Amino acid sequence: MKTFPWKTAVGVVLVGLMLFPVYWMFNVSLTRTGDLRADPPHWFPWNPTFEGYAAAFAQQLPALATSLFIGLGTVALTLVVALPAGFSLARLRPLGARGMDFLLLVAQMIPGVVMAMGFYAIYIRLGMLNTVPGLIVADSTLAVPFGVLLFRAFMASIPGELMAAAQIDGASTWRTFRSIILPLSRNSVITVSLFAFLWAWSDFIFASTLNRNSDVIPITLGIFRYIGNNTTQWNSIMATAVIASIPAAFLLVLAQRYIAAGVTAGAVKD
Amino acid sequence: MARRAVHAAPRRRSGRWTALAFLAPLVIYLAVFYAYPLYRNIDLSVHDYTPRAFVRGDAEFTGLDNYADILSDDTFVRALRNTAVFTLVSIAAQYALGLALAVFFHRNFRLSAVLRAMFLVPWLLPLIVSASTWSWMLNSDNGIVNAALQAFGIGQINWLTSPGTSLLAVTVANIWLGIPFNLVILYAGLQNIPADLYEAAGLDGANGWQRFWRITFPLLRPVSAITLLLGLIYTLKVVDIIWIMTKGGPADASTTLAIWSYREAFGTGQPDFSPAAAVGNLLILIALAAGLLHVRLQRKEERA
């Protein structure tokens, strides 16, 4: 393969342009409060300071913990619902499988604000407003339809002979699911878990509607309140933003190929 | 013979029940956490709910009055127009830029995989992070965008606080957010185009431009269609980015249907759920219409 050094150069410039806002967030997070109003702004953190991070950690640590908990709860709920359903649709041909596909597609079209109003109306009666479980349930609605469709596509590609062999050996359907299908589906489980976690971690609509009067708030709402109350401390706001982005950055590095594969499988359906 | 027996096995009566048992958690989930909230939302839109009636459950039934009210509201026309501009400009620009980048990165060169992966970063950041970063970059007095424009002799622009530019500002931020998704899907589509087609075209003396318009673009059509549809459905319902940057203002200049609904229900001190639900249901209808249109166009193409 021939290499074109100029293409690499162009690629670096494009990445630089695209990631400039991310760099800027990082730059501002390290800027001293006194320099925030500098005109023109400093292009580099000349006198880097960690005061923004100190303030962020002092004030937002509980919110980060809450988001972590909500994210993990959402992943668990999503997998419990979506894994058996994906298996059923891919392998067991239940009645109404085609209708289910259509329903899942439509479910993904419903605007979040509509779901938020529906949940609000239900939660206010059940006393589930401003609770963490309430938010876990609401957040899972983003990932469940996606998860089922992705699992179905993945499990349909597992060779049928493996299942047939297990059944000839006398394994029940549940046993086949647990011992054959689940271990083979590891990559798709990782993909769905990643997305479920990231969507729950970055959810703003449900947090700002179903949890707005709570003391226990997720990090997105923490940042939003921060912006509202604190228009001068943009270094702390940006420091919180950087911290809130760490799970995403971490997951990106760890599982880049799963993410790309997941998007492709979930989006390009036939 | 054995193969046929195995394939027939799940069709037995007990197999049907097993299939339903595995599907049951999803069916219950969809009924309780999708259908019921949606039903409540429709219920909201045909009653006159106040916060008090909400708790007591004794709102007056008003039929389609809420729908009539929102359709005759001045905000409706603005919100519809803004939704159209925001959505169409966003998906057109995301698609064009995503496709250009996908074609660029499709050629193997040093570091191409690493650089392509870095394009995903904006997409994985929480929206509140991106939106607040853009807010600060577009800040009138201390924002980097105005500082950069000043170098070209362009005076201060109040991106987020003047009616002429706030819709543009949130659209630009939204385009930036959508590029990674378009890049990933279109790149995957490009990889499914057989390389020998390009080789044959190269032997026939086609240049890069001709290869793109005669091979890449036509063969990418199914992938392009799904990318644009997903972009359309996603962009119609965007709330976070606009709410965080402008709250739909100033004076409704960046209010879309989704923002209007959100503001009526949750954005003010006094929630007005019934009209908000009506706007929300209207939004669902638009998204469904877009989905159906897409299905029809695809069928037409298959027949042609």
Side-chain angles (χ1 to χ4, degrees), chain B residues 119-137:
Chain B
F119 265 84
L120 298 186
V121 171
W123 175 49
L124 294 169
L125 297 181
L127 276 179
I128 181 117
V129 166
S130 322
S132 44
T133 304
W134 277 95
S135 293
W136 182 241
M137 284 171 52

Side-chain angles (χ1 to χ4, degrees), chain B residues 107-249:
Chain B
R107 289 288 197 76
N108 237 332
F109 54 90
R110 197 179 290 271
L111 293 180
S112 74
V114 177
L115 294 173
R116 189 165 47 84
M118 290 180 76
F119 265 84
L120 298 186
V121 171
W123 175 49
L124 294 169
L125 297 181
L127 276 179
I128 181 117
V129 166
S130 322
S132 44
T133 304
W134 277 95
S135 293
W136 182 241
M137 284 171 52
L138 294 170
N139 181 285
S140 306
D141 301 319
N142 308 96
I144 185 69
V145 173
N146 277 348
L149 289 177
Q150 228 161 37
F152 295 99
I154 299 168
Q156 178 180 315
I157 298 172
N158 301 318
W159 293 103
L160 300 173
T161 51
S162 82
T165 53
S166 65
L167 187 62
L168 174 69
V170 294
T171 308
V172 167
N174 190 56
I175 291 168
W176 181 78
L177 282 166
I179 289 173
F181 178 76
N182 282 261
L183 170 61
V184 167
I185 298 193
L186 293 168
Y187 183 83
L190 286 182
Q191 289 194 304
N192 289 332
I193 298 177
D196 43 350
L197 281 178
Y198 292 106
E199 280 164 26
L203 289 178
D204 290 345
N207 62 30
W209 192 244
Q210 286 169 327
R211 272 181 294 206
F212 176 79
W213 285 112
R214 300 273 167 81
I215 301 176
T216 310
F217 196 65
L219 287 177
L220 214 53
R221 257 169 90 161
V223 181
S224 298
I226 194 82
T227 310
L228 289 169
L229 175 74
L230 291 172
L232 177 66
I233 290 168
Y234 165 76
T235 314
L236 277 174
K237 56 186 187 185
V238 166
V239 168
D240 330 38
I241 188 102
I242 302 180
W243 189 256
I244 294 158
M245 287 177 73
T246 66
K247 289 201 162 63

Side-chain angles (χ1 to χ4, degrees), chain A residues 10-99:
Chain A
V10 173
V12 170
V13 171
L14 291 174
V15 168
L17 284 173
M18 185 72 181
L19 295 190
F20 181 77
V22 181
Y23 165 72
W24 199 245
M25 166 176 80
F26 186 66
N27 180 27
V28 173
S29 76
L30 290 169
T31 304
R32 285 172 196 280
T33 309
D35 290 343
L36 285 171
R37 301 278 164 193
D39 185 29
H42 296 308
W43 287 86
F44 302 98
W46 292 121
N47 298 302
T49 172
F50 287 99
E51 62 188 57
Y53 286 90
F57 272 117
Q59 292 158 39
Q60 302 285 0
L61 214 50
L64 287 165
T66 305
S67 279
L68 186 67
F69 187 72
I70 291 173
L72 295 176
T74 305
V75 169
L77 180 56
T78 302
L79 292 181
V80 165
V81 175
L83 272 171
F87 173 61
S88 180
L89 289 172
R91 288 289 173 200
L92 305 177
R93 300 171 220 195
L95 289 167
R98 286 191 69 114

Side-chain angles (χ1 to χ4, degrees), chain B residues 14-28:
Chain B
S14 66
R16 284 279 188 226
W17 287 112
T18 315
L20 283 180
F22 274 88
L23 202 59
L26 177 68
V27 173
I28 295 168

